[in-house]
Amino acid sequence: AQKVTQAQTEISVVEKEDVTLDCVYETRDTTYYLFWYKQPPSGELVFLIRRNSFDEQNEISGRYSWNFQKSTSSFNFTITASQVVDSAVYFCALSDPSGTYKYIFGTGTRLKVLA
Amino acid sequence: GAGVSQSPSNKVTEKGKDVELRCDPISGHTALYWYRQSLGQGLEFLIYFQGNSAPDKSGLPSDRFSAERTGGSVSTLTIQRTQQEDSAVYLCASRSGTDDYGYTFGSGTRLTVV
């Protein structure tokens, strides 16, 4: 069965600190996609990144970076020099590769960045 | 439209009443999904529509839940005889049918059953 675990329920950091959000997944499929979404207080989930299971290269986008390691089934998300605007709930998701692209979401990590 | 539109944004209903939630996806997006987000929980898949194919209803929690998509565009999620445990945010998302580069979500409908 597929599963996504985000063990960190809530994290609080002071602005400018770096923070890493953990995501561990379970799947028997060899081909799959992993995602991160951001849900700000407004409620609308915003797509951040998609990672193909065959591509283990780390990715950096501005202050955001992602570390994908198949050996540990992890897809962690780091925010460097956090800002108050980063405060949100972040969801990690695993895509069903059957063609429907249904997602299995983790329970989310609430990040609070304090000024 | 430019984004996924959901209405109403908030709905308070009495236990036992029926409710209809509406989703207007991005024009041209053939795939449409409904998810439910309960307090403290992740997003739970409910139903998936792809073009004119039969929908994937495998996530609907009971036969009180149903959904339809008319003309390959607007979708309506109906909950009959609402229960308090139905209280949640119902999120709709659409995706271009060509590949999975991520969904575009609507802002959701917050349903409260009292």
Side-chain angles (χ1 to χ4, degrees), chain A residues 24-93:
Chain A
V24 175
Y25 62 93
E26 296 176 26
T27 181
R28 294 180 181 175
D29 299 310
T30 55
T31 302
Y32 50 89
Y33 292 115
L34 292 162
F35 298 83
W36 277 94
Y37 281 84
K38 174 182 180 180
Q39 187 177 41
S42 61
E44 190 169 321
L45 277 88
V46 177
F47 168 82
L48 294 178
I49 190 172
R50 179 191 83 157
R51 174 60 70 208
N52 183 307
S53 57
F54 293 112
D55 182 2
E56 287 195 69
Q57 279 191 330
N58 291 333
E59 180 148 345
I60 299 174
S61 176
R63 295 183 297 106
Y64 295 171
S65 62
W66 290 269
N67 183 347
F68 176 33
Q69 293 195 338
K70 291 180 74 171
S71 61
T72 56
S73 297
S74 65
F75 186 42
N76 296 338
F77 174 30
T78 297
I79 302 174
T80 302
S82 60
Q83 300 176 2
V84 172
V85 294
D86 296 326
S87 298
V89 180
Y90 291 87
F91 290 96
C92 180

Side-chain angles (χ1 to χ4, degrees), chain A residues 3-15:
Chain A
K3 185 178 179 181
V4 175
T5 301
Q6 293 180 256
Q8 302 153 309
T9 305
E10 185 169 312
I11 301 175
S12 291
V13 298
V14 177
E15 205 170 20

Side-chain angles (χ1 to χ4, degrees), chain B residues 43-88:
Chain B
L43 282 76
E44 171 192 16
F45 167 78
L46 297 177
I47 190 168
Y48 159 65
F49 296 90
Q50 173 62 60
N52 295 320
S53 303
D56 178 346
K57 305 179 182 180
S58 60
L60 294 178
S62 77
D63 58 9
R64 296 187 296 104
F65 288 73
S66 63
E68 63 176 20
R69 188 179 185 191
T70 54
S73 181
V74 172
S75 176
T76 302
L77 177 68
T78 301
I79 308 173
Q80 295 179 311
R81 306 181 301 282
T82 51
Q83 303 294 314
Q84 287 188 330
E85 61 263 27
D86 300 333
S87 295

Side-chain angles (χ1 to χ4, degrees), chain A residues 91-106:
Chain A
F91 290 96
C92 180
L94 173 66
S95 176
D96 177 346
S98 67
T100 66
Y101 299 112
K102 295 183 291 187
Y103 289 176
I104 294 90
F105 282 89

